[in-house]
Amino acid sequence: MARSKNIDMTKGPILKELVLFALPLLLGNAFQQLYNTVDSVIVGQFVGPESLAAVTSTAVIINTLVGLFVGFSTGSSVIISQFFGAQKGDMLRKSIHTALSATFIMGIIFMILGYFITPPLIVLMKTDVTVIEPATTYLRIYFLGILGLMFYNMTSAILRAIGDSVRPLMFLILTSVLNIILDLVFVIKFEMGVAGVAYATIIAQFVSAFMGMFVLIRSKESYSVSLKEMHIDTSILKRIFAVGLPAGLQMAIISFSNIFVQSYINSFGAASTAGWGSYGRIDAFVMLPLQSIALANTTFTGQNAGAKNPDRIKQGIRVSLLLAIIVTIIICAAEYAGAPYIIRFFTKDEAVMKYGIIFIRCNCMFDFFCCFNQIHAGVLRGIGDATAPMFIMIFSFVVFRQIYLFVITRLTPSIYPVSLSFPVGWMMCSILMMIYFKLSHWEKKIHTI
C-alpha cells in the first residue's frame, strides 16, 4: 500500500509522530473554529450585542446535531485507520465508500431536521426576546448548508485515518480566508446582519467539502474514491456505528444538555448570554491543542491496534498525556491573564465584557482536568471501545452537571457557581474515566480486531 503523504504510526519515534500529526490538526481545527468566531467578532463589532448573543447562543443547538455526525466520522476514522494499519486494501476501500455514502443520506436528514426544530429549541433555551428573531434566522440558514460541513468533516476524517493531516489543513486555511472575506462583504457592504455571516459560513463549508472530495477522487493510492463504488456495505456500516454511534450520541446528548446550561446563563439577561457565548468561542480555541493531541492519539491507537502492538499504545498514552497537560496549563495561564483583552475582540459593551471575563477566569483554571478524560477516551475509541466513554461522559457532563446546577441555583443567586458547572463535570469525568481505563483490560481487546 502506497503511503506517501501519510504517517505510519506503527513505527518510529512516538513523540515526533504525534507532534507531526497533531500540529496540522491543531492548525486545521483552529481555522475551523474561525468560521464561527469570525462570525461572532464581526457581528459583535458591526451589528450589536443582541446579534452577537444570537450567533453565539445557537452554538449549542448546532453542536447537538453536528455532534451526532462527528461521532459517525470518528467511528469511520477508527475503522479506516485499523484497516490501513492492518494493510487490508479491499476493506479500506469499502469502508471509505460506505462512510461517504452514509454521509450524504445523513446530511439530507440533518438539513431538514435542523431547519424545523430551530424555533422550539430557541424557545426552550429561554432566549431573550430581543435575540429570538436573529437567532432563528442564523440557525435556519446554517442548517440549510450543513451538508457541506458534514462532507468536509468526513473527507478530513478519511485522510487523517491514513495519516494525512496536512491536506485538511490546507482546505481550511483557504476556506477560512474565504469566510472572512464573505463575512465582511455581506455584513459591512450589503448590511445583511446575522443572515450574512450564516451565508458566508455555508458557502465556505461547501468549498472545503468540494476540495476534500476532489483530492480523494483524483488520488491514485489505495484509498482513492470512485463514484461507481459508492454504496453502503452493511457489515462495515455496523462496525462504524459500533464505534461512531456511542461517540455521536455522547456528543449530541452532551450538547443538548448544554441547552439547559444555556438556559441558566440566559436567565441573567442578554449580556450574560453574549458573555457566555464569547467565552465559548475562546474556550473552543483553548481546548484545540488538547483535542488535536487526543485525536492524533486515537489515530495512533487505531493503527497500532490494527498492527497488534499494545506496548506501543501504552507508550503513546504516556507521551500524549504529558504533552497535553503541559500545553494546556501554559495556554490557560495566558488566557486567565489576558481575559479582558480577549473579550474586547468580541465587544466593547461593558456588561457583556464583565460576564465574559467572569466565565473565562472561572473555567480556564480547571481546563487541565480535561486532559485525563480526553486522552483516555481517545485511546478507548481507537481500539473500538466507544460505549464506556459514552456512558461516563453522559453521566458526568449531563446527569451530574444538571444535578449540580439544579442544587446550586437554589442555594445562591450568584453567577459564579453557575459558571463552574463545566469544571465540575470535567473533574467527575476524569476520575471515572481513569478508573474504568485501569479496570477495562483494553490490551486484550486489540487481538479481536
Side-chain angles (χ1 to χ4, degrees):
M1 295 173 64
R3 298 190 183 188
S4 59
K5 300 183 182 178
N6 311 320
I7 299 177
D8 183 352
M9 296 186 175
T10 60
K11 55 190 176 183
I14 293 176
L15 177 60
K16 178 182 177 181
E17 291 178 354
L18 286 172
V19 170
L20 287 176
F21 189 75
L23 278 176
L25 283 179
L26 172 60
L27 292 172
N29 288 332
F31 276 100
Q32 190 166 35
Q33 288 296 333
L34 277 176
Y35 279 98
N36 292 327
T37 303
V38 168
D39 291 350
S40 303
V41 171
I42 291 177
V43 166
Q45 295 291 345
F46 296 102
V47 184
E50 290 79 15
S51 294
L52 172 62
V55 171
T56 56
S57 66
T58 56
V60 293
I61 299 177
I62 293 171
N63 292 340
T64 298
L65 282 184
V66 173
L68 282 170
F69 179 74
V70 170
F72 179 77
S73 65
T74 299
S76 302
S77 180
V78 168
I79 301 305
I80 292 167
S81 68
Q82 289 176 356
F83 287 140
F84 183 78
Q87 301 191 43
K88 296 180 179 179
D90 290 341
M91 298 300 289
L92 175 66
R93 294 186 64 80
K94 286 182 180 180
S95 62
I96 290 173
H97 288 86
T98 294
L100 289 171
S101 299
T103 295
F104 177 77
I105 296 171
M106 294 172 68
I108 299 299
I109 294 173
F110 283 14
M111 178 180 67
I112 297 171
L113 181 63
Y115 184 86
F116 285 105
I117 68 171
T118 288
L121 285 179
I122 288 176
V123 172
L124 181 64
M125 291 192 301
K126 300 179 183 178
T127 305
D128 190 278
V129 292
T130 61
V131 179
I132 290 177
E133 183 179 349
T136 302
T137 298
Y138 177 83
L139 198 55
R140 280 188 152 175
I141 295 172
Y142 190 97
F143 276 120
L144 287 176
I146 201 168
L147 194 62
L149 173 65
M150 293 173 68
F151 261 95
Y152 164 74
N153 280 331
M154 181 53 71
T155 55
S156 296
I158 292 169
L159 290 170
R160 287 194 296 265
I162 49 86
D164 182 359
S165 58
V166 175
R167 282 182 288 192
L169 169 61
M170 296 298 103
F171 305 155
L172 274 177
I173 290 175
L174 292 174
T175 54
S176 293
V177 172
L178 173 63
N179 182 51
I180 293 171
I181 294 172
L182 292 177
D183 271 338
L184 294 171
V185 171
F186 291 162
V187 173
I188 298 176
K189 182 174 178 59
F190 295 114
E191 300 182 346
M192 295 172 65
V194 295
V197 295
Y199 283 122
T201 297
I202 66 173
I203 290 171
Q205 288 173 346
F206 272 112
V207 172
S208 63
F210 172 80
M211 290 191 291
M213 286 298 298
F214 181 81
V215 165
L216 290 174
I217 291 173
R218 292 294 299 271
S219 174
K220 303 299 182 182
E221 302 199 40
S222 56
Y223 53 83
S224 63
V225 168
S226 169
L227 297 180
K228 294 180 180 179
E229 297 180 51
M230 284 292 185
H231 72 282
I232 294 177
D233 184 298
T234 55
S235 63
I236 291 179
L237 187 63
K238 289 178 182 178
R239 292 187 62 174
I240 291 174
F241 273 120
V243 178
L245 187 58
L249 286 174
Q250 164 205 309
M251 294 178 190
I253 292 172
I254 291 171
S255 295
F256 185 77
S257 75
N258 286 342
I259 292 175
F260 298 100
V261 176
Q262 185 78 52
S263 70
Y264 284 100
I265 298 296
N266 291 351
S267 67
F268 288 87
S272 175
T273 301
W276 180 259
S278 300
Y279 152 71
R281 299 298 194 221
I282 296 302
D283 187 63
F285 278 100
V286 171
M287 298 302 288
L288 285 180
L290 165 59
Q291 292 168 350
S292 300
I293 294 168
L295 185 55
N297 193 248
T298 298
T299 300
F300 175 90
T301 301
Q303 289 192 12
N304 282 281
K308 306 293 188 289
N309 196 343
D311 290 336
R312 188 170 172 82
I313 293 174
K314 292 178 183 178
Q315 295 174 35
I317 295 170
R318 290 192 291 269
V319 172
S320 298
L321 193 55
L322 181 61
L323 182 62
I325 290 172
I326 293 172
V327 171
T328 301
I329 289 176
I330 292 172
I331 293 175
C332 289
E335 181 189 16
Y336 186 94
Y341 308 101
I342 295 171
I343 289 296
R344 195 172 290 276
F345 277 110
F346 293 89
T347 182
K348 293 181 175 61
D349 185 282
E350 292 297 327
V352 176
M353 288 184 62
K354 181 191 76 171
Y355 280 112
I357 293 169
I358 291 172
F359 295 141
I360 287 178
R361 287 183 167 170
C362 284
N363 283 272
C364 72
M365 293 186 295
F366 303 94
D367 279 353
F368 75 94
F369 279 104
C370 294
C371 298
F372 300 96
N373 61 63
Q374 291 297 313
I375 296 297
H376 287 98
V379 173
L380 289 168
R381 294 190 191 106
I383 61 174
D385 182 1
T387 303
M390 175 190 72
F391 283 118
I392 291 172
M393 288 189 173
I394 288 175
F395 172 78
S396 303
F397 298 156
V398 180
V399 179
F400 183 74
R401 185 174 285 160
Q402 295 304 322
I403 292 173
Y404 168 83
L405 283 167
F406 180 82
V407 173
I408 204 68
T409 53
R410 280 151 181 79
L411 295 177
T412 174
S414 173
I415 189 69
Y416 289 93
V418 173
S419 68
L420 290 173
S421 61
F422 276 19
V424 297
W426 300 335
M427 288 185 277
M428 175 60 71
C429 185
S430 293
I431 293 170
L432 296 177
M433 193 73 72
M434 287 189 292
I435 292 173
Y436 173 80
F437 191 81
K438 289 184 178 297
L439 299 176
S440 66
H441 303 293
W442 59 269
E443 300 96 326
K444 297 178 181 179
K445 297 178 182 179
I446 68 172
H447 297 293
T448 63
I449 294 174

